[in-house]
Amino acid sequence: MARTVKHPEVRRAELVGAARSLFFERGYDATSVDEIIARAGVSKGAFYYYFPSKGAVLEALAEQMAEEAAVNIRPILTDDTLNGFERLQQFLRLNQRLKAEQAPETLALFEALFHPQNLALHHHVFTRVSRVMNPIMATILQQGMDDGSFLPGDPLAIAEVLLGISSTTHEAVAGLVGADSEEAFKAAAAAFQRRWLTQGVIADRILGLPEGSTEFVEPGFAEAFFAGWRQARAQRSATRGNFAEDVDRF
Amino acid sequence: MARTVKHPEVRRAELVGAARSLFFERGYDATSVDEIIARAGVSKGAFYYYFPSKGAVLEALAEQMAEEAAVNIRPILTDDTLNGFERLQQFLRLNQRLKAEQAPETLALFEALFHPQNLALHHHVFTRVSRVMNPIMATILQQGMDDGSFLPGDPLAIAEVLLGISSTTHEAVAGLVGADSEEAFKAAAAAFQRRWLTQGVIADRILGLPEGSTEFVEPGFAEAFFAGWRQARAQRSATRGNFAEDVDRF
């Protein structure tokens, strides 16, 4: 069979796609560059032509997923029947729905980011996602400032603060990922839920909304979100016999 | 002369001290591990016993400087003649004074953190400093919430948000450090000043204070702060003939 010559962008996308499915099935840590190469059907040289490391693939994948989310969000920005506050609410609801639907996949991909040795990778991934999401949030804020829904201010700076709060939850997520008993898990989930609650309180005050207007997540979301991931992790571990000890941790 | 046996903590402190004076004189990038070793009068083996890299020394130094600042700040926390809002003001004024006094030294130390390739190092340094400063800010907020100066809330989460905003100014500082004309420098300083202004607006709203109450820095601070560093950099460059081209950049 003749060797197919592919456009560089196509080959790059295939590598990201292969990594995505493998990270989802096995987790980031348990996936090797060799396995990504095998599934994508490319040479090692081709892999390293596009990506300096496995971490760089994860960064590209995070950006791709943020772009996919952005495609779903953009119609909200152009819906002229909504005022600024309604746009913000729709944006947060959609975000929460996407998070909930993709919880097992997302967490399998990103679980590794919450190990202390991966702090730099976490930072890079967060930076890539922010570059997509911050301008969208800033647009919503600008629209709401223009129509009087929100107090005036610097929309991009405020967007960075509101979305940046998520980056300060690193330790809370690390607690959840590392929880080694049902009790520790419930405590970590409650701490996480409190952080999201505070994020809403802070948003209300910055934007000049009545307390309780901005709801980043619904009550009980953190526990449900991470329970889905635990279940998926247990299934992954059961499939790979050598990681079966993970199942017993809960 | 008999070899002096020193306590490990003493030797570690000597290494950090030697690095501090060298980073200040020459800048972080222009200082090598060999020079730190020579000035501290220890062996290479001893250096690597304490620190895996030059970056790790910078992290330790940042934590040390944060601890030194904390020593100056703590009396504010225990001054019973102040209410919570007055404590916050004193804290911010002291912070600004320390920043202004130490501008040339601090920026010589940390200039390198704003190169894109040092993003991870920047993140680690910021994390170390936050571990010292966040609990201090949280204590001030808790005191102010208790005495009715501030709206109630989660003091540690709010402290993380208020101090964390500084970490989102990475790009603004990078613009200043990389400015290659007087015009670019003034524009970057103005952008930075705006970010600090927004930080004050956000703090006022989160804490429930009248607009303009919280002033992270005075008008013109950014330009004065970075002008001091430019002057010191020009002097450093003039001393080291091989970096004289830096002088011509302004």
Side-chain angles (χ1 to χ4, degrees):
Chain A
M1 200 176 81
R3 190 161 161 266
T4 320
V5 179
K6 286 181 179 162
H7 190 279
E9 278 306 306
V10 173
R11 201 175 284 296
R12 188 176 180 281
E14 283 176 353
L15 278 164
V16 174
R20 183 180 191 149
S21 59
L22 280 163
F23 292 164
F24 177 36
E25 287 163 30
R26 306 179 187 184
Y28 173 81
D29 275 340
T31 300
S32 68
V33 167
D34 284 341
E35 288 169 315
I36 298 171
I37 286 167
R39 180 155 309 181
V42 305
S43 69
K44 203 159 203 155
F47 178 90
Y48 286 107
Y49 173 77
Y50 294 104
F51 300 105
S53 63
K54 188 172 74 164
V57 188
L58 186 63
E59 286 178 45
L61 175 51
E63 187 168 335
Q64 186 187 78
M65 290 173 70
E67 290 286 6
E68 287 168 11
V71 169
N72 288 311
I73 292 164
R74 287 208 178 93
I76 298 172
L77 303 187
T78 51
D79 182 345
D80 287 338
T81 67
L82 304 171
N83 70 19
F85 174 59
E86 290 162 342
R87 282 203 185 96
L88 178 63
Q89 281 193 310
Q90 299 252 344
F91 169 77
L92 294 176
R93 274 192 211 128
L94 181 62
N95 247 340
Q96 187 178 343
R97 190 163 60 73
L98 291 174
K99 263 188 196 151
E101 283 172 7
Q102 302 170 348
E105 180 175 10
T106 314
L107 279 165
L109 292 171
F110 295 130
E111 196 180 322
L113 295 183
F114 297 97
H115 301 165
Q117 75 271 22
N118 286 338
L119 198 58
L121 186 60
H122 175 268
H123 187 77
H124 288 299
V125 163
F126 185 80
T127 303
R128 293 278 201 112
V129 173
S130 300
R131 249 182 247 152
V132 178
M133 300 309 281
N134 284 356
I136 293 175
M137 180 63 124
T139 303
I140 293 175
L141 296 180
Q142 180 69 66
Q143 290 170 334
M145 288 171 187
D146 289 345
D147 71 18
S149 297
F150 307 138
L151 288 175
D154 178 336
L156 190 58
I158 293 175
E160 283 178 20
V161 169
L162 292 183
L163 296 177
I165 299 174
S166 310
S167 80
T168 69
T169 53
H170 187 278
E171 279 185 40
V173 181
L176 274 163
V177 170
D180 57 0
S181 71
E182 191 63 33
E183 209 172 34
F185 177 79
K186 279 194 190 296
F192 205 74
Q193 185 74 33
R194 270 202 308 279
R195 293 304 302 262
W196 265 325
L197 191 72
T198 297
Q199 200 168 354
V201 170
I202 287 173
D204 288 339
R205 292 183 188 170
I206 294 177
L207 302 176
L209 300 169
E211 199 108 330
S213 301
T214 314
E215 199 173 62
F216 277 80
V217 297
E218 283 165 15
F221 180 78
E223 204 165 325
F225 181 66
F226 288 101
W229 157 74
R230 281 170 69 187
Q231 207 177 352
R233 187 169 75 162
Q235 279 163 4
R236 282 202 308 279
S237 301
T239 314
R240 305 193 315 272
N242 53 329
F243 282 82
E245 67 273 19
D246 280 3
V247 187
D248 302 328
R249 287 175 64 199
F250 291 109
Chain B
M1 201 177 80
R3 190 159 162 268
T4 320
V5 179
K6 286 180 178 160
H7 190 278
E9 277 306 305
V10 173
R11 201 175 286 294
R12 188 176 181 279
E14 282 175 353
L15 279 164
V16 175
R20 182 179 191 150
S21 59
L22 281 163
F23 292 164
F24 177 35
E25 289 163 28
R26 305 178 188 185
Y28 173 82
D29 276 338
T31 300
S32 68
V33 168
D34 284 342
E35 287 169 315
I36 298 171
I37 287 167
R39 180 155 308 182
V42 305
S43 69
K44 205 158 202 155
F47 178 91
Y48 285 107
Y49 173 76
Y50 294 105
F51 301 106
S53 64
K54 188 172 75 165
V57 189
L58 186 64
E59 285 178 45
L61 176 51
E63 186 168 337
Q64 187 187 77
M65 291 173 70
E67 290 285 5
E68 287 168 12
V71 168
N72 288 310
I73 293 163
R74 289 208 176 92
I76 298 171
L77 302 187
T78 52
D79 182 346
D80 287 337
T81 67
L82 304 172
N83 70 20
F85 175 58
E86 289 161 342
R87 281 204 186 95
L88 178 63
Q89 282 195 310
Q90 298 253 345
F91 170 77
L92 295 175
R93 274 192 211 127
L94 182 62
N95 247 340
Q96 188 178 345
R97 191 163 60 73
L98 291 174
K99 259 187 199 153
E101 283 172 8
Q102 301 171 349
E105 182 176 8
T106 314
L107 280 167
L109 292 171
F110 295 130
E111 197 180 323
L113 295 183
F114 298 96
H115 301 165
Q117 75 272 24
N118 287 337
L119 198 60
L121 186 59
H122 176 269
H123 187 76
H124 287 299
V125 163
F126 185 80
T127 302
R128 293 279 201 114
V129 172
S130 300
R131 250 182 246 153
V132 177
M133 300 311 279
N134 284 356
I136 292 175
M137 181 61 125
T139 303
I140 293 174
L141 296 179
Q142 181 69 66
Q143 290 171 335
M145 288 170 187
D146 289 345
D147 70 19
S149 298
F150 307 137
L151 288 175
D154 177 336
L156 191 58
I158 294 175
E160 283 178 18
V161 170
L162 292 183
L163 296 176
I165 299 174
S166 310
S167 80
T168 68
T169 54
H170 187 278
E171 277 185 40
V173 181
L176 274 163
V177 170
D180 58 359
S181 71
E182 190 61 36
E183 209 171 34
F185 177 78
K186 280 192 191 296
F192 204 74
Q193 185 74 34
R194 269 200 309 279
R195 292 305 302 261
W196 265 325
L197 192 73
T198 298
Q199 199 168 355
V201 171
I202 287 172
D204 287 340
R205 292 183 188 169
I206 294 176
L207 302 175
L209 300 168
E211 199 108 333
S213 302
T214 313
E215 203 174 58
F216 276 80
V217 298
E218 285 164 13
F221 179 80
E223 203 164 324
F225 180 69
F226 287 100
W229 157 76
R230 282 170 68 187
Q231 207 176 353
R233 187 169 75 162
Q235 278 162 6
R236 280 203 309 280
S237 301
T239 313
R240 305 192 316 271
N242 55 327
F243 282 83
E245 67 273 20
D246 279 4
V247 187
D248 302 328
R249 287 175 63 201
F250 291 108

